[in-house]
């Protein structure tokens, strides 16, 4: 495989094809350039055309004799431009003055499946984030068919996501295209990024670009934070629900030198101080919590090819779970109630800059971030402490080759430094990772219809030695309505054995492990087919995709071999994950968006010498999402229903055999359904929204096993497969003021 990729990297630059015109379409809104998606772009006198993407970009093939390019969009003046060279175009459309008294509104669908990117990518815009409460990154996927969100346990409030049926640890989590939320931030990191701070989210499936690292076994999730130079001057958001959760978010952008230098200030505060125990088991349904998060970002753009950004943030997150009589000042002893106390402090800083040459043929980018994370906690009588210092840096040089830039070469270097200190069961555990790496990626795009991306990187790990990561992505638009993608690639991941599994401490069994760190290795293969039609006069998108992940090495959480320990050990046998998904996106009537999706999961691991279904994993998921917006976007209504399949509950074999009263469904959970709804009323500068999560009030029965004796041998709050909180009704208010 590596030889094949190497030959491609050498041979592909010798091919050349027809010219291609690239560019962007903009409109002026309150003096600011804004991208305009959906613009019809075609060569005058022909039917050869395309449409601009969500970011306003477009690509169109130019044949001999074609020079007049037409740009047409309802409500704007048609423009015809003479194209004499292949440099990137910037086209500005002006409103049609004859329609001065008519307001033209184009409904933002919120999510888009890219047909241009060779990697299967779904973009989630701010419009989609407004369809639910979306208080943080973990809660941003309620309406998404690809990403599942669930609780890790019944006492800490830790949330986890799954992509392609695999735990979130196998997805590369990024903020601003830089790796983040790793190590000590793994368990609670998804709740650290407030939803109102985010500008958009990109979800990529399968092995990602080698530019981003050797991770991303299942895919990557990138959160883009609002930029200081955006037109948003002030944004405020308040939120409250009936369970006693209150939240405030605010951000403001300040322009210090026009659009050259700007800064953004972000504030987040949330708390839950109401003790909820709806199932009367004596344990809090969700932990009490207090969270504060402050951030400051700066951006400089000289508009001559150079741009840089930097920022700092500080977060403090305190949680108290366990029995309802536990309190913040308690000391963990057998004479006190069972409590779980977790305190996290996190400091982050980032710096990135980029330069593009005047001819647009060369570019250089530097990306780096730094984090310091400290955690101190106890789970009943078990203490866990840790601190982590992490640095990431990457330099990338980009070269566009050929007269129409059909060849793109990216080369660069990266470096990771990760210093870990942990304490569990009285043992001090220390280690330091140092990982320099080099990479190269070649993209061949002769026209709009074909893209081939090949990449190779080598990393030099001070613990695991040298390893090579090859990846390849292929995209072909082979007919008017059809786009196919295929990918194959290897991924590696450093498994932090303890910090990624601290939620398992919320049980009577101790953790048994032979090493605090190990390397996981897997191959990922994927195929997708996107079909775009016009059905009954409206856009219809059909998507089919299949991904398979084969693990060569893996950290296995074995809750079934021993009645006294949860065993964290390397894989001894086979482990794989298959994910097959179908989804349909259509607008059956004006302003009503419909999303139908169904995904089947086949995920198996060798546990205790036997290949079994991975426990606590639904074998399928169905989703229906309806979004309706009234004329001129005065009201918006959202409704989502999730159909979750059944699955296997882990059990100790001796316990299984000792049950004389066991039923046929022991060791399995049944399918269940979750419904969410939200109604939003929009005004000029503000909006008010009211909604409900888990409308049917479904909860997993008996989420805390052995709740009557939490210090006894049967206590376990980690076998969670469904919701632990029932119906949640909430109310929120948003205020938005833009620059004129």
């Amino acid at each position: 495989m590596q030889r094949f990729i190497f030959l491609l990297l050498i041979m592909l630059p010798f091919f050349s094809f027809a010219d291609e015109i690239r560019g962007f379409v903009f409109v002026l809104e309150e003096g600011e350039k804004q991208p305009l998606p959906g613009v019809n772009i075609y060569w005058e006198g022909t039917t050869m055309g395309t449409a601009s993407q969500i970011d306003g970009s477009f690509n169109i093939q130019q044949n001999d004799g074609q020079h007049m390019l037409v740009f047409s969009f309802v409500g704007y003046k048609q423009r015809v431009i003479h194209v004499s060279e292949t440099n990137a175009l910037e086209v500005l459309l002006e409103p049609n003055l004859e329609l001065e008294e008519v307001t033209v509104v184009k409904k933002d669908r919120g999510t888009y499946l890219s047909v241009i990117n060779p990697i299967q990518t779904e973009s989630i815009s701010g419009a989609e984030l407004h369809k639910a409460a979306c208080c943080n990154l973990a809660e941003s996927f309620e309406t998404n068919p690809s990403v599942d969100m669930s609780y890790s346990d019944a006492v800490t409030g830790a949330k986890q996501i799954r992509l392609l049926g695999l735990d979130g640890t196998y997805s590369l989590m990024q903020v601003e295209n830089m790796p983040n939320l790793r190590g000590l931030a793994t368990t609670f990191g998804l709740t650290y990024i407030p939803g109102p701070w985010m500008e958009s989210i990109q979800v990529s499936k399968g092995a990602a670009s080698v530019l981003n690292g050797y991770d991303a076994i299942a895919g990557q999730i990138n959160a883009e934070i609002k930029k200081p130079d955006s037109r948003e001057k002030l944004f405020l958001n308040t939120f409250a629900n009936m369970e006693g959760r209150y939240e405030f978010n605010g951000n403001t952008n300040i322009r210090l030198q026009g659009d050259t230098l700007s800064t953004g200030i972000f504030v987040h505060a949330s708390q839950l101080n109401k003790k909820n125990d709806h199932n009367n088991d004596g344990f809090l349904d969700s932990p009490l919590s207090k969270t504060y998060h402050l951030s400051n970002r700066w951006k400089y753009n000289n508009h001559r090819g150079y741009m840089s950004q930097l920022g700092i943030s500080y977060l403090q997150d305190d949680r108290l779970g366990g029995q309802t009589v536990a309190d913040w000042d308690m000391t963990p002893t057998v004479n006190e109630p069972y409590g779980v106390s977790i305190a996290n402090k996190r400091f982050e800083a980032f710096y990135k800059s980029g330069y593009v040459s005047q001819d647009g043929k060369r570019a250089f980018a530097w990306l780096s971030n730094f984090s310091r994370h400290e955690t101190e906690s106890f789970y009943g009588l078990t203490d866990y402490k840790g601190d982590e210092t992490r640095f990431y840096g990457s330099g990338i040089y980009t070269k566009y080759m050929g007269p129409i830039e059909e060849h793109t070469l990216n080369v660069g270097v990266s470096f990771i430094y990760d210093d870990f200190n942990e304490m569990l069961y009285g043992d001090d555990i220390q280690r330091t990772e140092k990982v320099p790496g080099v990479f190269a990626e070649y993209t061949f795009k002769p026209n709009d219809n074909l893209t081939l991306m090949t990449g190779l990187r080598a990393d030099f790990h001070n613990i695991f030695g040298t390893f090579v990561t090859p990846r390849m992505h292929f995209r072909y638009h082979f007919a008017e309505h059809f786009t196919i993608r295929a990918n194959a690639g290897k991924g590696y991941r450093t498994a932090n054995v303890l910090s990624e599994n601290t939620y398992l401490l919320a049980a009577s069994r101790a953790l048994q492990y032979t090493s605090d760190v190990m390397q996981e290795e897997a191959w990922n293969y994927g195929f997708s087919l996107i079909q775009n039609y016009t059905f009954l006069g409206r856009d219809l998108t059909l998507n089919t995709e299949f991904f398979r992940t084969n693990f060569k090495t893996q950290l296995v959480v074995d809750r079934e071999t021993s009645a006294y320990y949860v065993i964290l050990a390397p894989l001894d046998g086979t482990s794989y994950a298959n994910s097959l998904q179908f989804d349909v996106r259509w607008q059956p009537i004006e302003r009503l968006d419909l999303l139908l999706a169904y995904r089947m999961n086949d995920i198996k691991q060798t546990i205790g010498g036997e290949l079994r279904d991975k426990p606590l994993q639904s074998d399928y998921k169905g989703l229906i999402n309806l979004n309706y917006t009234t004329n001129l976007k005065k009201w918006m209504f959202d409704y989502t229903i999730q159909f979750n399949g059944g699955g296997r509950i882990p059990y100790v074999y001796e316990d299984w055999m000792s049950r004389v009263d066991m039923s046929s469904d022991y060791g399995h959970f049944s399918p269940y359904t979750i419904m969410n709804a939200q109604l939003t009323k929009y005004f000029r500068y503000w909006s008010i929204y009211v909604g409900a999560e888990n409308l049917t009030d479904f909860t997993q029965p008996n989420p805390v096993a052995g709740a009557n004796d939490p210090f006894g041998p049967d206590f376990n709050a980690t076998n969670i497969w469904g919701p632990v909180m029932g119906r949640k009704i909430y109310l929120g208010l948003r205020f938005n003021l833009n620059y004129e």
Side-chain angles (χ1 to χ4, degrees):
M1 183 67 180
Q2 296 176 7
R3 292 181 180 177
F4 176 61
I5 294 174
F6 180 74
L7 288 173
L8 281 175
L9 289 170
I10 294 176
M11 296 177 63
L12 285 176
F14 293 99
F15 293 90
S16 63
F17 286 77
D19 289 347
E20 181 182 43
I21 304 301
R22 302 181 182 185
F24 294 85
V25 185
F26 298 99
V27 294
L28 282 179
E29 292 184 5
E30 301 181 354
E32 293 289 328
K33 282 185 178 181
Q34 299 295 330
L36 185 61
V39 176
N40 295 315
I41 306 167
Y42 58 93
W43 293 107
E44 189 175 47
T46 74
T47 58
M48 181 185 296
T50 185
S52 57
Q53 301 299 306
I54 187 173
D55 60 354
S57 64
F58 69 89
N59 299 52
I60 187 168
Q61 185 175 342
Q62 182 185 32
N63 295 326
D64 292 340
Q66 293 178 338
H67 298 287
M68 307 306 294
L69 198 55
V70 181
F71 296 81
S72 175
F73 192 71
V74 176
Y76 292 85
K77 291 182 179 180
Q78 179 175 291
R79 287 199 63 181
V80 182
I81 295 179
H82 182 271
V83 179
S84 59
E85 55 185 25
T86 58
N87 289 338
L89 298 175
E90 286 195 7
V91 180
L92 184 67
L93 294 189
E94 299 178 0
N96 190 338
L97 298 180
E98 295 179 359
L99 300 178
E100 187 174 13
E101 297 181 1
V102 178
T103 302
V104 179
V105 178
K106 180 177 175 62
K107 189 174 188 297
D108 189 346
R109 290 181 297 168
T111 62
Y112 298 85
L113 285 174
S114 173
V115 295
I116 302 298
N117 196 327
I119 302 174
Q120 180 80 345
T121 303
E122 181 177 10
S123 297
I124 303 172
S125 69
E128 183 73 12
L129 299 178
H130 282 189
K131 291 182 179 180
C134 188
C135 293
N136 52 57
L137 179 59
E139 298 172 347
S140 301
F141 303 106
E142 296 286 355
T143 60
N144 189 278
S146 300
V147 182
D148 300 329
M149 192 279 291
S150 62
Y151 287 92
S152 300
D153 59 86
V155 293
T156 68
K159 296 179 180 179
Q160 62 176 343
I161 62 168
R162 291 190 176 101
L163 184 62
L164 304 185
L166 294 171
D167 293 341
T169 52
Y170 297 109
S171 298
L172 175 59
M173 304 301 302
Q174 293 188 308
V175 178
E176 304 279 330
N177 290 311
M178 293 174 286
N180 207 318
L181 306 181
R182 299 181 172 196
L184 291 177
T186 300
T187 304
F188 300 103
L190 292 172
T191 64
Y192 290 167
I193 302 180
W197 288 15
M198 292 187 294
E199 180 180 78
S200 63
I201 304 171
Q202 294 79 45
V203 180
S204 303
K205 298 180 183 179
S209 166
V210 295
L211 275 63
N212 299 322
Y214 50 81
D215 306 58
I217 290 174
Q220 71 177 31
I221 297 175
N222 179 61
E224 288 289 335
I225 308 301
K226 294 177 179 178
K227 305 301 184 290
D229 61 347
S230 71
R231 59 193 296 262
E232 188 174 76
K233 187 175 185 179
L234 177 66
F235 179 85
L236 303 173
N237 171 251
T238 58
F239 169 92
N241 70 17
M242 294 185 64
E243 304 304 317
R245 176 179 173 182
Y246 301 96
E247 183 168 311
F248 170 79
N249 293 282
N251 64 272
T252 181
N253 294 332
I254 303 172
R255 299 179 178 179
L256 301 176
Q257 294 181 7
D259 57 356
T260 301
L261 180 64
S262 55
T263 184
I265 301 172
F266 298 78
V267 178
H268 166 84
S270 64
Q271 70 171 12
L272 196 163
N273 53 18
K274 180 182 177 182
K275 295 186 175 182
N276 299 293
D277 181 19
H278 296 296
N279 61 357
N280 299 313
D281 65 353
F283 273 73
L284 294 171
D285 295 335
S286 60
L288 308 182
S289 62
K290 297 178 290 185
T291 305
Y292 308 97
H293 196 174
L294 302 174
S295 180
N296 179 217
R297 299 168 56 90
W298 292 78
K299 183 175 181 179
Y300 173 79
N301 188 347
N302 69 357
H303 301 283
R304 294 190 300 273
Y306 176 76
M307 182 176 65
S308 64
Q309 298 184 62
L310 59 89
I312 58 172
S313 64
Y314 176 77
L315 174 138
Q316 183 168 328
D317 180 49
D318 298 306
R319 299 166 184 252
L320 177 67
Q323 292 183 295
T324 55
V325 290
D327 63 74
W328 290 100
D329 298 322
M330 67 178 293
T331 301
T333 66
V334 292
N335 297 319
E336 294 288 337
Y338 182 93
V340 175
S341 175
I342 305 169
N344 286 292
K345 296 180 180 180
R346 183 174 178 86
F347 172 80
E348 291 186 44
F350 79 91
Y351 173 76
K352 60 180 182 179
S353 62
Y355 173 77
V356 180
S357 63
Q358 294 298 313
D359 61 3
K361 296 288 188 180
R362 297 173 302 279
F364 176 79
W366 171 260
L367 302 92
S368 58
N369 60 9
F370 169 86
S371 63
R372 169 70 180 178
H373 193 118
E374 298 176 0
T375 185
E376 187 170 348
S377 62
F378 62 79
Y379 298 74
L381 303 178
T382 303
D383 291 336
Y384 173 80
K385 298 179 182 179
D387 64 77
E388 179 184 16
T389 302
R390 180 181 177 86
F391 171 81
Y392 166 83
S394 177
I396 306 171
Y397 174 76
T398 302
K399 172 70 173 177
Y400 299 101
M401 299 174 289
I404 57 171
E405 301 178 0
E406 71 268 33
H407 309 289
T408 303
L409 179 64
N410 289 287
V411 296
V413 297
S414 64
F415 181 73
I416 298 172
Y417 174 88
D418 200 358
D419 183 65
F420 244 100
N421 297 283
E422 298 174 284
M423 178 180 289
L424 179 65
Y425 305 136
D427 297 330
D428 287 326
I429 305 166
Q430 301 179 1
R431 75 170 184 277
T432 300
E433 290 183 72
K434 300 176 183 179
V435 194
V438 295
F439 54 84
E441 183 178 79
Y442 170 72
T443 303
F444 175 58
K445 187 176 181 181
N447 50 53
D448 265 349
N449 297 327
L450 176 65
T451 307
L452 179 63
M453 177 190 295
T454 61
L456 193 67
R457 67 174 296 135
D459 292 273
F460 313 95
H461 203 289
N462 64 314
I463 299 175
F464 305 119
T466 300
F467 49 91
V468 177
T469 307
R471 289 175 183 173
M472 177 181 293
H473 299 86
F474 172 78
R475 167 196 163 271
Y476 183 49
H477 182 67
F478 63 91
E480 182 180 0
H481 304 292
F482 298 89
T483 301
I484 62 171
R485 291 188 182 90
N487 77 273
K490 178 179 280 193
Y492 297 86
R493 194 184 79 85
T494 298
N496 299 296
V497 175
L498 298 181
S499 65
E500 295 172 3
N501 295 287
T502 53
Y503 68 93
L504 294 171
L505 297 174
S508 61
R509 289 186 287 174
L511 303 184
Q512 185 181 82
Y513 58 95
T514 56
S515 175
D516 64 291
V517 63
M518 65 167 288
Q519 186 178 60
E520 297 182 296
E521 178 183 354
W523 280 94
N524 182 280
Y525 312 91
F527 174 85
S528 67
L529 171 65
I530 296 180
Q531 304 173 63
N532 289 309
Y533 301 97
T534 299
F535 182 61
L536 299 180
R538 305 188 185 279
D539 292 340
L540 171 68
T541 300
L542 308 176
N543 176 59
T544 303
E545 60 188 40
F546 174 78
F547 288 88
R548 178 178 176 86
T549 307
N550 282 329
F551 284 92
K552 297 185 65 177
T553 59
Q554 186 182 24
L555 173 66
V556 175
V557 178
D558 182 357
R559 319 181 200 210
E560 305 176 71
T561 299
S562 171
Y564 306 101
Y565 299 98
V566 175
I567 302 173
L568 306 176
L571 174 70
D572 183 13
T574 300
S575 178
Y576 67 84
N578 294 326
S579 175
L580 175 63
Q581 179 173 316
F582 308 92
D583 53 79
V584 180
R585 302 163 196 263
W586 189 43
Q587 193 178 93
I589 62 174
E590 188 174 2
R591 298 185 300 277
L592 174 64
D593 289 330
L594 170 67
L595 169 62
L596 305 175
Y598 184 78
R599 186 178 72 249
M600 293 177 286
N601 298 317
D602 175 26
I603 304 168
K604 287 184 168 56
Q605 279 184 331
T606 300
I607 302 175
E610 181 181 346
L611 185 63
R612 309 178 183 180
D613 290 332
K614 186 177 179 181
L616 307 176
Q617 170 72 56
S618 294
D619 53 18
Y620 69 82
K621 176 183 178 180
L623 183 139
I624 301 174
N625 175 249
L626 296 170
N627 171 261
Y628 179 74
T629 305
T630 62
N631 192 27
L632 302 181
K633 200 178 180 180
K634 296 295 185 181
W635 293 86
M636 185 170 73
F637 176 75
D638 294 280
Y639 173 77
T640 303
I641 179 169
Q642 299 177 8
F643 306 93
N644 299 277
R648 194 173 70 84
I649 300 174
Y651 60 86
V652 180
Y653 183 75
E654 290 81 358
D655 182 51
W656 165 274
M657 295 300 295
S658 66
R659 289 177 179 264
V660 296
D661 61 342
M662 63 184 180
S663 60
S664 60
D665 63 348
Y666 180 77
H668 290 81
F669 61 89
S670 301
Y672 62 95
T673 301
I674 301 294
M675 288 187 280
N676 303 325
Q678 179 177 290
L679 178 66
T680 306
K681 169 62 176 174
Y682 289 93
F683 300 91
R684 182 177 181 183
Y685 296 114
W686 57 282
S687 62
I688 185 171
Y689 57 96
V690 59
E693 298 176 343
N694 196 359
L695 278 165
T696 60
D697 201 29
F698 173 82
T699 57
Q700 173 183 333
N702 194 31
V704 181
N708 59 332
D709 184 15
F711 295 104
D714 295 327
F715 175 73
N716 191 348
T718 66
N719 281 348
I720 301 302
W721 49 263
V724 296
M725 286 287 291
R727 184 186 302 111
K728 293 185 288 186
I729 299 174
Y730 60 85
L731 176 69
L733 181 69
R734 302 185 184 102
F735 175 82
N736 182 271
L737 182 64
N738 293 329
Y739 279 99
E740 299 296 336

